[in-house]
Amino acid sequence: MKTSVSIPGIHCEGCAMLIKDVSKDDASIQDVAVDLMTKTVVIDHDDEFDLDTWTKEIESLNPVYKVLPVA
C-alpha cells in the first residue's frame, strides 16, 4: 500500500534524510520517497502501518513539520 502526505516545512536534503531515517524504525514501512520540490512524502507500507503514530513522530522532529493529507 502507498500513502502520500504533504509536509510543507521540509526544505532540504537533510530534512528528507531525517524523515527517511526515522521511518526505518517502523517495521511496517518498506520505503519512503521524499520529493523536496512538491514537499510530498510517499510511504510504501503494509496493512499494519499506523499513520497517526508516524505523523506524531515526524512532527516531533521539527516544529515546522506538519503532516497534511495530499489533496
Side-chain angles (χ1 to χ4, degrees), residues 7 20 31 41 53:
I7 307 178
K20 288 178 183 181
D31 189 38
V41 178
T53 299

Side-chain angles (χ1 to χ4, degrees), residues 32-71:
V32 175
V34 180
D35 185 328
L36 292 173
M37 184 157 312
T38 63
K39 301 188 183 299
T40 302
V41 178
V42 178
I43 308 152
D44 187 7
H45 59 84
D46 60 28
D47 291 338
E48 285 79 38
F49 175 66
D50 184 343
L51 180 59
D52 291 333
T53 299
W54 182 85
T55 295
K56 288 175 188 168
E57 287 183 37
I58 297 303
E59 290 181 347
S60 73
L61 298 172
N62 188 319
V64 300
Y65 292 173
K66 299 297 178 213
V67 177
L68 306 171
V70 173

